[in-house]
Amino acid sequence: MFGFLRTAISTRLLRPFTAPQQHQHAAVTDAVRGMKVRSSVKLMCDKCSFVRRRGRLFVVCSSDPKHKQRQG
């Protein structure tokens, strides 16, 4: 009747205690940048361009991903 409980307890007793693992994707979020959110967006270089999507004004850049911006 309580076989599942017995197996859960026995596997917990057989396993050595380990500390909770840190998330492995923390380093990935450092490498992936978001975009700047500003009240006034400006073109930063010659390859930046304005794009209107979903009622918002965006700046996208084909040369440097750091130039991505969103107004609002």
PDB file of all heavy atoms in Angstrom, residues 14-49:
ATOM      1  N   LEU A  14      19.924   5.853   0.967  1.00  0.00           N
ATOM      2  CA  LEU A  14      21.058   5.276   0.255  1.00  0.00           C
ATOM      3  C   LEU A  14      21.926   6.343  -0.412  1.00  0.00           C
ATOM      4  O   LEU A  14      23.109   6.159  -0.597  1.00  0.00           O
ATOM      5  CB  LEU A  14      20.572   4.284  -0.805  1.00  0.00           C
ATOM      6  CG  LEU A  14      19.924   3.015  -0.257  1.00  0.00           C
ATOM      7  CD1 LEU A  14      19.387   2.186  -1.402  1.00  0.00           C
ATOM      8  CD2 LEU A  14      20.919   2.227   0.573  1.00  0.00           C
ATOM      9  N   ARG A  15      21.311   7.451  -0.767  1.00  0.00           N
ATOM     10  CA  ARG A  15      22.053   8.518  -1.430  1.00  0.00           C
ATOM     11  C   ARG A  15      22.847   9.325  -0.412  1.00  0.00           C
ATOM     12  O   ARG A  15      22.319   9.688   0.636  1.00  0.00           O
ATOM     13  CB  ARG A  15      21.070   9.472  -2.111  1.00  0.00           C
ATOM     14  CG  ARG A  15      21.164   9.481  -3.578  1.00  0.00           C
ATOM     15  CD  ARG A  15      20.284  10.544  -4.161  1.00  0.00           C
ATOM     16  NE  ARG A  15      19.098  10.813  -3.341  1.00  0.00           N
ATOM     17  CZ  ARG A  15      17.980  11.304  -3.801  1.00  0.00           C
ATOM     18  NH1 ARG A  15      17.859  11.579  -5.055  1.00  0.00           N
ATOM     19  NH2 ARG A  15      16.960  11.530  -3.003  1.00  0.00           N
ATOM     20  N   PRO A  16      24.103   9.644  -0.678  1.00  0.00           N
ATOM     21  CA  PRO A  16      24.826  10.522   0.249  1.00  0.00           C
ATOM     22  C   PRO A  16      24.271  11.940   0.152  1.00  0.00           C
ATOM     23  O   PRO A  16      23.780  12.350  -0.893  1.00  0.00           O
ATOM     24  CB  PRO A  16      26.266  10.453  -0.234  1.00  0.00           C
ATOM     25  CG  PRO A  16      26.170  10.030  -1.647  1.00  0.00           C
ATOM     26  CD  PRO A  16      24.938   9.188  -1.764  1.00  0.00           C
ATOM     27  N   PHE A  17      24.357  12.664   1.240  1.00  0.00           N
ATOM     28  CA  PHE A  17      23.839  14.032   1.254  1.00  0.00           C
ATOM     29  C   PHE A  17      24.732  14.923   0.408  1.00  0.00           C
ATOM     30  O   PHE A  17      25.952  14.941   0.558  1.00  0.00           O
ATOM     31  CB  PHE A  17      23.787  14.573   2.681  1.00  0.00           C
ATOM     32  CG  PHE A  17      23.360  16.009   2.734  1.00  0.00           C
ATOM     33  CD1 PHE A  17      22.030  16.346   2.528  1.00  0.00           C
ATOM     34  CD2 PHE A  17      24.268  17.011   2.949  1.00  0.00           C
ATOM     35  CE1 PHE A  17      21.629  17.653   2.561  1.00  0.00           C
ATOM     36  CE2 PHE A  17      23.880  18.326   2.984  1.00  0.00           C
ATOM     37  CZ  PHE A  17      22.545  18.647   2.784  1.00  0.00           C
ATOM     38  N   THR A  18      24.135  15.662  -0.482  1.00  0.00           N
ATOM     39  CA  THR A  18      24.871  16.627  -1.295  1.00  0.00           C
ATOM     40  C   THR A  18      24.194  17.972  -1.159  1.00  0.00           C
ATOM     41  O   THR A  18      22.979  18.063  -1.002  1.00  0.00           O
ATOM     42  CB  THR A  18      24.888  16.210  -2.781  1.00  0.00           C
ATOM     43  OG1 THR A  18      23.542  16.079  -3.226  1.00  0.00           O
ATOM     44  CG2 THR A  18      25.639  14.911  -2.978  1.00  0.00           C
ATOM     45  N   ALA A  19      24.992  18.998  -1.221  1.00  0.00           N
ATOM     46  CA  ALA A  19      24.456  20.352  -1.130  1.00  0.00           C
ATOM     47  C   ALA A  19      23.675  20.655  -2.406  1.00  0.00           C
ATOM     48  O   ALA A  19      23.943  20.078  -3.454  1.00  0.00           O
ATOM     49  CB  ALA A  19      25.601  21.347  -0.958  1.00  0.00           C
ATOM     50  N   PRO A  20      22.716  21.555  -2.346  1.00  0.00           N
ATOM     51  CA  PRO A  20      21.972  21.913  -3.557  1.00  0.00           C
ATOM     52  C   PRO A  20      22.909  22.472  -4.619  1.00  0.00           C
ATOM     53  O   PRO A  20      23.820  23.255  -4.329  1.00  0.00           O
ATOM     54  CB  PRO A  20      20.997  22.983  -3.085  1.00  0.00           C
ATOM     55  CG  PRO A  20      20.970  22.877  -1.607  1.00  0.00           C
ATOM     56  CD  PRO A  20      22.232  22.247  -1.172  1.00  0.00           C
ATOM     57  N   GLN A  21      22.699  22.061  -5.841  1.00  0.00           N
ATOM     58  CA  GLN A  21      23.549  22.489  -6.941  1.00  0.00           C
ATOM     59  C   GLN A  21      23.192  23.908  -7.365  1.00  0.00           C
ATOM     60  O   GLN A  21      22.026  24.285  -7.377  1.00  0.00           O
ATOM     61  CB  GLN A  21      23.379  21.546  -8.138  1.00  0.00           C
ATOM     62  CG  GLN A  21      23.823  20.133  -7.851  1.00  0.00           C
ATOM     63  CD  GLN A  21      25.324  20.042  -7.677  1.00  0.00           C
ATOM     64  OE1 GLN A  21      26.068  20.760  -8.336  1.00  0.00           O
ATOM     65  NE2 GLN A  21      25.763  19.181  -6.796  1.00  0.00           N
ATOM     66  N   GLN A  22      24.205  24.670  -7.723  1.00  0.00           N
ATOM     67  CA  GLN A  22      23.975  25.994  -8.273  1.00  0.00           C
ATOM     68  C   GLN A  22      23.537  25.838  -9.719  1.00  0.00           C
ATOM     69  O   GLN A  22      23.894  24.890 -10.389  1.00  0.00           O
ATOM     70  CB  GLN A  22      25.262  26.833  -8.206  1.00  0.00           C
ATOM     71  CG  GLN A  22      25.700  27.159  -6.806  1.00  0.00           C
ATOM     72  CD  GLN A  22      24.726  28.085  -6.106  1.00  0.00           C
ATOM     73  OE1 GLN A  22      24.077  28.896  -6.736  1.00  0.00           O
ATOM     74  NE2 GLN A  22      24.609  27.939  -4.806  1.00  0.00           N
ATOM     75  N   HIS A  23      22.765  26.797 -10.206  1.00  0.00           N
ATOM     76  CA  HIS A  23      22.313  26.730 -11.584  1.00  0.00           C
ATOM     77  C   HIS A  23      23.496  26.924 -12.515  1.00  0.00           C
ATOM     78  O   HIS A  23      24.313  27.823 -12.330  1.00  0.00           O
ATOM     79  CB  HIS A  23      21.257  27.797 -11.858  1.00  0.00           C
ATOM     80  CG  HIS A  23      19.993  27.548 -11.109  1.00  0.00           C
ATOM     81  ND1 HIS A  23      19.144  26.523 -11.421  1.00  0.00           N
ATOM     82  CD2 HIS A  23      19.454  28.170 -10.046  1.00  0.00           C
ATOM     83  CE1 HIS A  23      18.125  26.535 -10.591  1.00  0.00           C
ATOM     84  NE2 HIS A  23      18.276  27.530  -9.742  1.00  0.00           N
ATOM     85  N   GLN A  24      23.569  26.086 -13.526  1.00  0.00           N
ATOM     86  CA  GLN A  24      24.676  26.143 -14.466  1.00  0.00           C
ATOM     87  C   GLN A  24      24.509  27.262 -15.487  1.00  0.00           C
ATOM     88  O   GLN A  24      25.462  27.667 -16.109  1.00  0.00           O
ATOM     89  CB  GLN A  24      24.799  24.797 -15.201  1.00  0.00           C
ATOM     90  CG  GLN A  24      25.121  23.642 -14.277  1.00  0.00           C
ATOM     91  CD  GLN A  24      26.468  23.794 -13.600  1.00  0.00           C
ATOM     92  OE1 GLN A  24      27.393  24.354 -14.175  1.00  0.00           O
ATOM     93  NE2 GLN A  24      26.574  23.329 -12.381  1.00  0.00           N
ATOM     94  N   HIS A  25      23.298  27.781 -15.671  1.00  0.00           N
ATOM     95  CA  HIS A  25      23.079  28.789 -16.696  1.00  0.00           C
ATOM     96  C   HIS A  25      23.395  30.197 -16.221  1.00  0.00           C
ATOM     97  O   HIS A  25      23.148  31.159 -16.925  1.00  0.00           O
ATOM     98  CB  HIS A  25      21.649  28.727 -17.218  1.00  0.00           C
ATOM     99  CG  HIS A  25      20.612  28.925 -16.164  1.00  0.00           C
ATOM    100  ND1 HIS A  25      20.304  30.146 -15.652  1.00  0.00           N
ATOM    101  CD2 HIS A  25      19.824  28.045 -15.516  1.00  0.00           C
ATOM    102  CE1 HIS A  25      19.376  30.022 -14.733  1.00  0.00           C
ATOM    103  NE2 HIS A  25      19.056  28.760 -14.623  1.00  0.00           N
ATOM    104  N   ALA A  26      23.950  30.361 -15.019  1.00  0.00           N
ATOM    105  CA  ALA A  26      24.281  31.700 -14.521  1.00  0.00           C
ATOM    106  C   ALA A  26      25.355  32.350 -15.386  1.00  0.00           C
ATOM    107  O   ALA A  26      25.327  33.543 -15.646  1.00  0.00           O
ATOM    108  CB  ALA A  26      24.744  31.627 -13.071  1.00  0.00           C
ATOM    109  N   ALA A  27      26.322  31.554 -15.864  1.00  0.00           N
ATOM    110  CA  ALA A  27      27.376  32.103 -16.718  1.00  0.00           C
ATOM    111  C   ALA A  27      26.827  32.473 -18.086  1.00  0.00           C
ATOM    112  O   ALA A  27      27.308  33.401 -18.722  1.00  0.00           O
ATOM    113  CB  ALA A  27      28.513  31.095 -16.862  1.00  0.00           C
ATOM    114  N   VAL A  28      25.796  31.780 -18.530  1.00  0.00           N
ATOM    115  CA  VAL A  28      25.218  32.067 -19.838  1.00  0.00           C
ATOM    116  C   VAL A  28      24.507  33.402 -19.814  1.00  0.00           C
ATOM    117  O   VAL A  28      24.583  34.168 -20.766  1.00  0.00           O
ATOM    118  CB  VAL A  28      24.243  30.936 -20.246  1.00  0.00           C
ATOM    119  CG1 VAL A  28      23.520  31.268 -21.540  1.00  0.00           C
ATOM    120  CG2 VAL A  28      24.999  29.633 -20.383  1.00  0.00           C
ATOM    121  N   THR A  29      23.836  33.744 -18.709  1.00  0.00           N
ATOM    122  CA  THR A  29      23.125  35.016 -18.645  1.00  0.00           C
ATOM    123  C   THR A  29      24.093  36.192 -18.647  1.00  0.00           C
ATOM    124  O   THR A  29      23.738  37.275 -19.078  1.00  0.00           O
ATOM    125  CB  THR A  29      22.238  35.088 -17.393  1.00  0.00           C
ATOM    126  OG1 THR A  29      23.045  34.876 -16.249  1.00  0.00           O
ATOM    127  CG2 THR A  29      21.137  34.077 -17.461  1.00  0.00           C
ATOM    128  N   ASP A  30      25.317  35.997 -18.168  1.00  0.00           N
ATOM    129  CA  ASP A  30      26.296  37.071 -18.228  1.00  0.00           C
ATOM    130  C   ASP A  30      26.716  37.344 -19.665  1.00  0.00           C
ATOM    131  O   ASP A  30      26.987  38.478 -20.031  1.00  0.00           O
ATOM    132  CB  ASP A  30      27.532  36.713 -17.395  1.00  0.00           C
ATOM    133  CG  ASP A  30      27.196  36.638 -15.917  1.00  0.00           C
ATOM    134  OD1 ASP A  30      26.183  37.231 -15.518  1.00  0.00           O
ATOM    135  OD2 ASP A  30      27.951  35.985 -15.175  1.00  0.00           O
ATOM    136  N   ALA A  31      26.764  36.296 -20.488  1.00  0.00           N
ATOM    137  CA  ALA A  31      27.216  36.463 -21.863  1.00  0.00           C
ATOM    138  C   ALA A  31      26.113  37.044 -22.748  1.00  0.00           C
ATOM    139  O   ALA A  31      26.394  37.740 -23.709  1.00  0.00           O
ATOM    140  CB  ALA A  31      27.681  35.125 -22.427  1.00  0.00           C
ATOM    141  N   VAL A  32      24.860  36.771 -22.423  1.00  0.00           N
ATOM    142  CA  VAL A  32      23.748  37.243 -23.234  1.00  0.00           C
ATOM    143  C   VAL A  32      23.300  38.590 -22.690  1.00  0.00           C
ATOM    144  O   VAL A  32      22.948  38.710 -21.526  1.00  0.00           O
ATOM    145  CB  VAL A  32      22.576  36.231 -23.184  1.00  0.00           C
ATOM    146  CG1 VAL A  32      21.393  36.773 -23.958  1.00  0.00           C
ATOM    147  CG2 VAL A  32      23.023  34.913 -23.726  1.00  0.00           C
ATOM    148  N   ARG A  33      23.317  39.587 -23.537  1.00  0.00           N
ATOM    149  CA  ARG A  33      22.912  40.921 -23.108  1.00  0.00           C
ATOM    150  C   ARG A  33      21.455  41.156 -23.494  1.00  0.00           C
ATOM    151  O   ARG A  33      20.980  40.656 -24.497  1.00  0.00           O
ATOM    152  CB  ARG A  33      23.762  41.985 -23.783  1.00  0.00           C
ATOM    153  CG  ARG A  33      25.210  41.898 -23.436  1.00  0.00           C
ATOM    154  CD  ARG A  33      25.958  43.026 -24.106  1.00  0.00           C
ATOM    155  NE  ARG A  33      27.374  42.805 -24.039  1.00  0.00           N
ATOM    156  CZ  ARG A  33      28.140  43.148 -23.028  1.00  0.00           C
ATOM    157  NH1 ARG A  33      27.614  43.699 -21.984  1.00  0.00           N
ATOM    158  NH2 ARG A  33      29.429  42.930 -23.055  1.00  0.00           N
ATOM    159  N   GLY A  34      20.814  41.976 -22.711  1.00  0.00           N
ATOM    160  CA  GLY A  34      19.467  42.394 -23.058  1.00  0.00           C
ATOM    161  C   GLY A  34      19.547  43.633 -23.928  1.00  0.00           C
ATOM    162  O   GLY A  34      20.417  43.746 -24.785  1.00  0.00           O
ATOM    163  N   MET A  35      18.649  44.546 -23.666  1.00  0.00           N
ATOM    164  CA  MET A  35      18.713  45.800 -24.400  1.00  0.00           C
ATOM    165  C   MET A  35      18.500  46.936 -23.421  1.00  0.00           C
ATOM    166  O   MET A  35      17.947  46.747 -22.347  1.00  0.00           O
ATOM    167  CB  MET A  35      17.686  45.844 -25.521  1.00  0.00           C
ATOM    168  CG  MET A  35      16.262  45.765 -25.121  1.00  0.00           C
ATOM    169  SD  MET A  35      15.145  46.000 -26.499  1.00  0.00           S
ATOM    170  CE  MET A  35      15.684  44.787 -27.644  1.00  0.00           C
ATOM    171  N   LYS A  36      18.964  48.088 -23.805  1.00  0.00           N
ATOM    172  CA  LYS A  36      18.797  49.269 -22.963  1.00  0.00           C
ATOM    173  C   LYS A  36      17.355  49.757 -23.106  1.00  0.00           C
ATOM    174  O   LYS A  36      16.830  49.805 -24.203  1.00  0.00           O
ATOM    175  CB  LYS A  36      19.758  50.359 -23.409  1.00  0.00           C
ATOM    176  CG  LYS A  36      21.210  49.981 -23.280  1.00  0.00           C
ATOM    177  CD  LYS A  36      22.076  51.067 -23.888  1.00  0.00           C
ATOM    178  CE  LYS A  36      23.532  50.698 -23.843  1.00  0.00           C
ATOM    179  NZ  LYS A  36      23.857  49.603 -24.745  1.00  0.00           N
ATOM    180  N   VAL A  37      16.745  50.117 -21.995  1.00  0.00           N
ATOM    181  CA  VAL A  37      15.398  50.680 -22.020  1.00  0.00           C
ATOM    182  C   VAL A  37      15.533  52.143 -21.643  1.00  0.00           C
ATOM    183  O   VAL A  37      15.986  52.480 -20.547  1.00  0.00           O
ATOM    184  CB  VAL A  37      14.467  49.935 -21.037  1.00  0.00           C
ATOM    185  CG1 VAL A  37      13.088  50.556 -21.054  1.00  0.00           C
ATOM    186  CG2 VAL A  37      14.407  48.476 -21.391  1.00  0.00           C
ATOM    187  N   ARG A  38      15.173  53.005 -22.569  1.00  0.00           N
ATOM    188  CA  ARG A  38      15.367  54.442 -22.373  1.00  0.00           C
ATOM    189  C   ARG A  38      14.116  55.200 -22.773  1.00  0.00           C
ATOM    190  O   ARG A  38      13.313  54.721 -23.568  1.00  0.00           O
ATOM    191  CB  ARG A  38      16.531  54.931 -23.247  1.00  0.00           C
ATOM    192  CG  ARG A  38      17.842  54.311 -22.872  1.00  0.00           C
ATOM    193  CD  ARG A  38      18.938  54.847 -23.729  1.00  0.00           C
ATOM    194  NE  ARG A  38      20.224  54.437 -23.184  1.00  0.00           N
ATOM    195  CZ  ARG A  38      21.358  54.569 -23.824  1.00  0.00           C
ATOM    196  NH1 ARG A  38      21.388  55.090 -25.018  1.00  0.00           N
ATOM    197  NH2 ARG A  38      22.478  54.185 -23.262  1.00  0.00           N
ATOM    198  N   SER A  39      14.003  56.401 -22.246  1.00  0.00           N
ATOM    199  CA  SER A  39      12.881  57.240 -22.656  1.00  0.00           C
ATOM    200  C   SER A  39      13.167  57.922 -23.984  1.00  0.00           C
ATOM    201  O   SER A  39      12.249  58.296 -24.704  1.00  0.00           O
ATOM    202  CB  SER A  39      12.593  58.294 -21.584  1.00  0.00           C
ATOM    203  OG  SER A  39      13.742  59.100 -21.399  1.00  0.00           O
ATOM    204  N   SER A  40      14.449  58.056 -24.320  1.00  0.00           N
ATOM    205  CA  SER A  40      14.832  58.668 -25.585  1.00  0.00           C
ATOM    206  C   SER A  40      15.898  57.789 -26.229  1.00  0.00           C
ATOM    207  O   SER A  40      17.010  57.676 -25.714  1.00  0.00           O
ATOM    208  CB  SER A  40      15.389  60.074 -25.318  1.00  0.00           C
ATOM    209  OG  SER A  40      15.883  60.624 -26.506  1.00  0.00           O
ATOM    210  N   VAL A  41      15.556  57.148 -27.333  1.00  0.00           N
ATOM    211  CA  VAL A  41      16.514  56.276 -28.014  1.00  0.00           C
ATOM    212  C   VAL A  41      17.217  57.063 -29.108  1.00  0.00           C
ATOM    213  O   VAL A  41      16.628  57.943 -29.746  1.00  0.00           O
ATOM    214  CB  VAL A  41      15.827  55.021 -28.597  1.00  0.00           C
ATOM    215  CG1 VAL A  41      15.318  54.137 -27.495  1.00  0.00           C
ATOM    216  CG2 VAL A  41      14.723  55.380 -29.539  1.00  0.00           C
ATOM    217  N   LYS A  42      18.489  56.763 -29.305  1.00  0.00           N
ATOM    218  CA  LYS A  42      19.301  57.464 -30.298  1.00  0.00           C
ATOM    219  C   LYS A  42      20.112  56.460 -31.082  1.00  0.00           C
ATOM    220  O   LYS A  42      20.476  55.405 -30.573  1.00  0.00           O
ATOM    221  CB  LYS A  42      20.255  58.443 -29.613  1.00  0.00           C
ATOM    222  CG  LYS A  42      19.577  59.481 -28.779  1.00  0.00           C
ATOM    223  CD  LYS A  42      20.583  60.273 -27.997  1.00  0.00           C
ATOM    224  CE  LYS A  42      19.867  61.207 -27.033  1.00  0.00           C
ATOM    225  NZ  LYS A  42      20.784  61.811 -26.087  1.00  0.00           N
ATOM    226  N   LEU A  43      20.418  56.790 -32.331  1.00  0.00           N
ATOM    227  CA  LEU A  43      21.290  55.955 -33.143  1.00  0.00           C
ATOM    228  C   LEU A  43      22.724  56.163 -32.678  1.00  0.00           C
ATOM    229  O   LEU A  43      23.181  57.291 -32.529  1.00  0.00           O
ATOM    230  CB  LEU A  43      21.150  56.315 -34.621  1.00  0.00           C
ATOM    231  CG  LEU A  43      19.751  56.167 -35.216  1.00  0.00           C
ATOM    232  CD1 LEU A  43      19.747  56.612 -36.662  1.00  0.00           C
ATOM    233  CD2 LEU A  43      19.282  54.742 -35.103  1.00  0.00           C
ATOM    234  N   MET A  44      23.447  55.071 -32.411  1.00  0.00           N
ATOM    235  CA  MET A  44      24.804  55.179 -31.876  1.00  0.00           C
ATOM    236  C   MET A  44      25.876  55.073 -32.958  1.00  0.00           C
ATOM    237  O   MET A  44      26.999  55.509 -32.757  1.00  0.00           O
ATOM    238  CB  MET A  44      25.030  54.096 -30.829  1.00  0.00           C
ATOM    239  CG  MET A  44      24.127  54.227 -29.630  1.00  0.00           C
ATOM    240  SD  MET A  44      24.364  52.872 -28.502  1.00  0.00           S
ATOM    241  CE  MET A  44      24.469  53.732 -26.967  1.00  0.00           C
ATOM    242  N   CYS A  45      25.548  54.450 -34.095  1.00  0.00           N
ATOM    243  CA  CYS A  45      26.535  54.322 -35.175  1.00  0.00           C
ATOM    244  C   CYS A  45      25.804  54.340 -36.512  1.00  0.00           C
ATOM    245  O   CYS A  45      24.583  54.476 -36.569  1.00  0.00           O
ATOM    246  CB  CYS A  45      27.372  53.049 -35.009  1.00  0.00           C
ATOM    247  SG  CYS A  45      26.474  51.525 -35.307  1.00  0.00           S
ATOM    248  N   ASP A  46      26.546  54.184 -37.590  1.00  0.00           N
ATOM    249  CA  ASP A  46      25.957  54.228 -38.930  1.00  0.00           C
ATOM    250  C   ASP A  46      25.094  53.002 -39.234  1.00  0.00           C
ATOM    251  O   ASP A  46      24.204  53.061 -40.072  1.00  0.00           O
ATOM    252  CB  ASP A  46      27.059  54.333 -39.986  1.00  0.00           C
ATOM    253  CG  ASP A  46      27.797  55.660 -39.894  1.00  0.00           C
ATOM    254  OD1 ASP A  46      27.198  56.629 -39.392  1.00  0.00           O
ATOM    255  OD2 ASP A  46      28.967  55.716 -40.327  1.00  0.00           O
ATOM    256  N   LYS A  47      25.347  51.893 -38.568  1.00  0.00           N
ATOM    257  CA  LYS A  47      24.608  50.661 -38.860  1.00  0.00           C
ATOM    258  C   LYS A  47      23.383  50.476 -37.977  1.00  0.00           C
ATOM    259  O   LYS A  47      22.661  49.505 -38.131  1.00  0.00           O
ATOM    260  CB  LYS A  47      25.537  49.463 -38.722  1.00  0.00           C
ATOM    261  CG  LYS A  47      26.668  49.529 -39.729  1.00  0.00           C
ATOM    262  CD  LYS A  47      27.354  48.230 -39.892  1.00  0.00           C
ATOM    263  CE  LYS A  47      28.420  48.380 -40.964  1.00  0.00           C
ATOM    264  NZ  LYS A  47      29.088  47.146 -41.250  1.00  0.00           N
ATOM    265  N   CYS A  48      23.133  51.390 -37.058  1.00  0.00           N
ATOM    266  CA  CYS A  48      21.933  51.340 -36.229  1.00  0.00           C
ATOM    267  C   CYS A  48      20.734  51.811 -37.046  1.00  0.00           C
ATOM    268  O   CYS A  48      20.858  52.686 -37.903  1.00  0.00           O
ATOM    269  CB  CYS A  48      22.074  52.254 -35.008  1.00  0.00           C
ATOM    270  SG  CYS A  48      23.251  51.684 -33.786  1.00  0.00           S
ATOM    271  N   SER A  49      19.571  51.236 -36.753  1.00  0.00           N
ATOM    272  CA  SER A  49      18.363  51.667 -37.449  1.00  0.00           C
ATOM    273  C   SER A  49      17.174  51.578 -36.495  1.00  0.00           C
ATOM    274  O   SER A  49      17.164  50.787 -35.561  1.00  0.00           O
ATOM    275  CB  SER A  49      18.114  50.808 -38.686  1.00  0.00           C
ATOM    276  OG  SER A  49      17.950  49.464 -38.315  1.00  0.00           O
TER     277      SER A  49
END
